[in-house]
Amino acid sequence: MPPRALPAPLAAILAEAAGTTAVVAHRLDGTGPRIAHLADRPFALASVMKLPLLVHVLRRVDDGALDLAARTPLTEDDRVAGSGVLHLLDPGLAPTLRDLLVLAMVVSDNMATDALLARAPLAAVEADMAELGYDSVRLPHTIRRMLASQAGVADDAPYATVRTIFRDPDRPVPDDPDGASPERGDRATPADLARLLADVHAGRLLSPASTALALEILEACQTNARIPADLPQGTRVAHKTGTLRGRANDVGIVHAPGGPFVLVLMNEGEVEERHASRVLARAARWVFDAFEGGTA
């Protein structure tokens, strides 16, 4: 079934957020309605870049190149500011590769993400995504570099410097930082992200064990103010959010009573993060109700 135009009630909800919001939604069994609005427009990923990283790392686990049980000693030099908990802990921890995946996805840990990228470089992740057909995925920046561009400092600026800048509510913000750019930064189209999620769910990319682990980790996500926030209590959602300077994203799989569906919501331009989250949550609930009621 071809995608339909953006339904008017959903368009009205999305219009409550400034800027531009894309939405892609369809059932994973291929039945029912399909919604695709701005599906082929690249959007800055922010921490949604951790989704293709998760898939790539597990593919390297499946082919024997990486070991989930292998430990990575973390030092003072590995600290990365921003979201997560590792950067707040004493140096000397040695989490397993599986631990790093869980931290990167569940609490969006930036230090864990860059530790993974030291073992699965960005160029390799991007090449893997291209080989699989997700041609829009571009990953030029580590998290450290992405944050440095936001802070207006050199890529190798000390952790303490970057953290101090981000904790200052009156800090100057660069006019056009690379990290938030859909042209120069980490980016992908909503259509490719939706296909990536659908392919993971269907077991087309990973071994059965790695598929189960990927979905388990995504369901444990603890940043739940967007897609899951307004859904009926107990609704399972496997998802990953991303937030960065007027970018608010959430991409995932919603397990509705009528069957699971993929949902990608990406906003560019709403500077009030809480408001953006509320709009995306309301949009997710509209899609849920429309799909369940057959009115989409």
Side-chain angles (χ1 to χ4, degrees), residues 44-45 138-141 146 177-188:
L45 292 175
R138 295 288 183 271
L139 302 173
H141 299 149
M146 184 188 298
D178 285 346
S181 170
E183 293 82 27
R184 301 184 310 280
D186 296 340
R187 59 198 184 274

Side-chain angles (χ1 to χ4, degrees), residues 1 14 22 34 55 78 84 92 97 105 107 113 115 139 164 190 198 209 218 225 236 251 266:
M1 179 181 296
L14 298 182
R34 299 175 63 90
V55 174
D78 295 315
L97 187 71
M105 302 304 295
V107 295
T113 302
L139 302 173
T164 297
L218 287 167
R236 291 165 48 213
V251 305
M266 308 186 79

Side-chain angles (χ1 to χ4, degrees), residues 191-210:
D192 272 352
L193 295 171
R195 288 197 305 112
L196 178 59
L197 286 164
D199 288 344
V200 169
H201 184 270
R204 289 188 282 265
L205 305 181
L206 303 168
S207 69
S210 290

Side-chain angles (χ1 to χ4, degrees), residues 8 53 80 117 120 133 156 158 172 196 210 231 269 282 284 287:
L53 175 61
V80 180
L117 289 172
D156 59 354
L196 178 59
S210 290
L231 300 184
R282 291 185 57 221
V287 173

